[in-house]
Amino acid sequence: MPYEHGAHGLLHHVGWFVDTPLTRGVSTVDPMASEHESAASAAYGRAGPPRVALPQRGVVIGLRWSGAEGAGNQIVAAKVECSGERAHLSRLWRPFTEAPGRRHVRERLGAWLTEEARWAEGRLVVGVDFPLSLAETHLRQLGLLRQAIRGPSVLGKHLDERFLGEGGDFTEGAQRFRSELGKDRPRVTDCYRAEPHPPTHARTYRATFFGLCALSRLEAAFPPWDPPQAGKPTVVEVRPAHVARALCGVTAFRDDAKDGVNRSSTRPAILRTLRSAGKLEFEMEQAAQIVEDVHAEHLDAALAAFGAAAAAAEDFQGVPPNVPRSEGWIHSVREEPWRER
């Protein structure tokens, strides 16, 4: 069992509990819990735990994206299969490691998406964690506002032709892209979702540029630009960090080597919330993969899938009226999911 050591370490270190043969029958309730703790849990004004509805049918994939050189080695996918009132995290993997170069990833993305949609019998939603557009001011600056209104694939095609071209280098193209835009500008959706890094920020512009170029060749529906279409994959923008914040009040779940901060107890706490809030099931091996990943790439993918699934259950509704059509929307779980509706 490849994850046996990690699974046992997980149980020992953080008290993680998953209903598997390894742990079935193990209780996480402390029989010595004090009356004071019981009283505190029923404090005045305290709401119940968060509840999130997920789709009754279909497959949702979350993609933790990368715009770095060798991106295929860093892109992580999480697949959630929805059936009835349960959702199952069926797979965590890196789908592009065989040819990890950015040009190869772009060439293979469409075929990969088509194959995943075929296995999902036409009911596929993909949540990507990179921006699907730019701030309206930047779009006007580039002269691409009308193209952005038509959706990410059209915008990506024009960015590809303008900054990359045939045989161009993605790193140089992304640098030219950012240099031409100048000052970072957040979109309206970035403000609504408290996203700290707008599309052209130093930490995100490579992923933005490469992601939009990669989408330029896709046949898919992109809410809110398009409604979901039968037989076509649906691709939406998500933010794993927003899902964690909305559900758990957590804003950081990666280990920080510079400060020596270990967050190996934060990641399983988030997993427990996904399980209780959305009835998301997963195996011990997957829990170990997520918790032991100090960079939280696997957790990013799982949160992206969860956020996209929650948005799909709401039919991708609820975009505020003041959000420009050209800028798109970050889909996610609803705000304050612990409040009764």
Side-chain angles (χ1 to χ4, degrees):
M1 181 177 178
Y3 296 99
E4 185 174 357
H5 179 270
H8 283 286
L10 203 60
L11 283 167
H12 177 75
H13 184 62
V14 298
W16 171 251
F17 170 70
V18 178
D19 188 21
T20 67
L22 176 66
T23 60
R24 190 169 289 126
V26 179
S27 173
T28 56
V29 178
D30 180 4
M32 303 300 292
S34 67
E35 292 182 6
H36 175 75
E37 290 172 331
S38 299
S41 66
Y44 176 77
R46 189 179 298 272
R51 292 286 181 262
V52 178
L54 300 184
Q56 297 288 308
R57 296 176 59 190
V59 174
V60 184
I61 294 178
L63 275 185
R64 186 273 181 189
W65 193 250
S66 172
E69 187 174 351
N73 289 324
Q74 301 179 46
I75 296 171
V76 179
K79 180 184 289 188
V80 172
E81 299 179 3
C82 302
S83 178
E85 295 192 4
R86 288 285 176 179
H88 179 64
L89 179 61
S90 61
R91 191 179 182 191
L92 283 165
W93 81 111
R94 297 181 188 270
F96 303 110
T97 54
E98 291 183 4
R102 285 171 290 190
R103 193 165 299 279
H104 291 102
V105 172
R106 182 182 64 169
E107 291 171 355
R108 292 183 56 217
L109 182 62
W112 175 78
L113 192 65
T114 299
E115 181 66 10
E116 291 294 338
R118 185 178 70 83
W119 282 105
E121 299 179 344
R123 294 177 176 270
L124 177 66
V125 174
V126 178
V128 298
D129 71 344
F130 61 85
L132 295 186
S133 189
L134 309 175
E136 187 172 288
T137 300
H138 279 165
L139 293 169
R140 293 182 184 277
Q141 190 174 330
L142 293 172
L144 295 177
L145 179 62
R146 294 177 61 185
Q147 289 78 2
I149 289 174
R150 295 172 61 188
S153 60
V154 178
L155 174 60
K157 179 181 178 182
H158 283 79
L159 290 176
D160 188 312
E161 293 173 350
R162 182 164 173 174
F163 295 102
L164 196 62
E166 289 295 328
D169 180 77
F170 279 100
T171 299
E172 294 177 1
Q175 289 172 346
R176 290 197 301 271
F177 162 73
R178 186 168 189 247
S179 297
E180 187 164 331
L181 292 173
K183 182 181 177 181
D184 294 337
R185 296 186 183 277
R187 300 167 297 169
V188 175
T189 186
D190 296 319
C191 298
Y192 268 112
R193 297 305 198 191
E195 170 56 41
H197 304 123
T200 56
H201 188 273
R203 294 183 59 177
T204 55
Y205 77 95
R206 294 180 185 86
T208 301
F209 179 74
F210 176 49
L212 286 169
C213 289
L215 294 181
S216 66
R217 304 181 180 187
L218 291 191
E219 287 291 331
F222 295 93
W225 290 273
D226 317 302
Q229 300 175 36
K232 267 189 176 184
T234 299
V235 179
V236 296
E237 181 180 344
V238 293
R239 282 295 181 280
H242 179 268
V243 177
R245 180 177 65 80
L247 286 176
C248 316
V250 171
T251 58
F253 40 84
R254 296 167 182 78
D255 289 3
D256 191 332
K258 293 181 180 179
D259 297 333
V261 177
N262 184 311
R263 296 192 172 94
S264 59
S265 61
T266 303
R267 293 187 287 275
I270 294 172
L271 280 177
R272 286 195 293 270
T273 302
L274 297 184
R275 185 182 184 187
S276 62
K279 299 181 180 179
L280 181 68
E281 299 175 342
F282 36 82
E283 305 299 328
M284 177 62 80
E285 289 82 359
Q286 293 166 335
Q289 274 183 283
I290 290 172
V291 175
E292 294 175 354
D293 177 4
V294 298
H295 302 294
E297 295 170 345
H298 291 81
L299 182 54
D300 276 339
L303 288 168
F306 193 90
E314 301 282 344
D315 199 26
F316 307 107
Q317 298 296 308
V319 181
N322 66 323
V323 171
R325 177 177 171 82
S326 60
E327 291 189 352
W329 178 247
I330 297 172
H331 293 273
S332 191
V333 300
R334 63 187 178 90
E335 297 285 351
E336 300 189 345
W338 55 87
R339 292 188 182 275
E340 295 184 8
R341 301 186 71 175

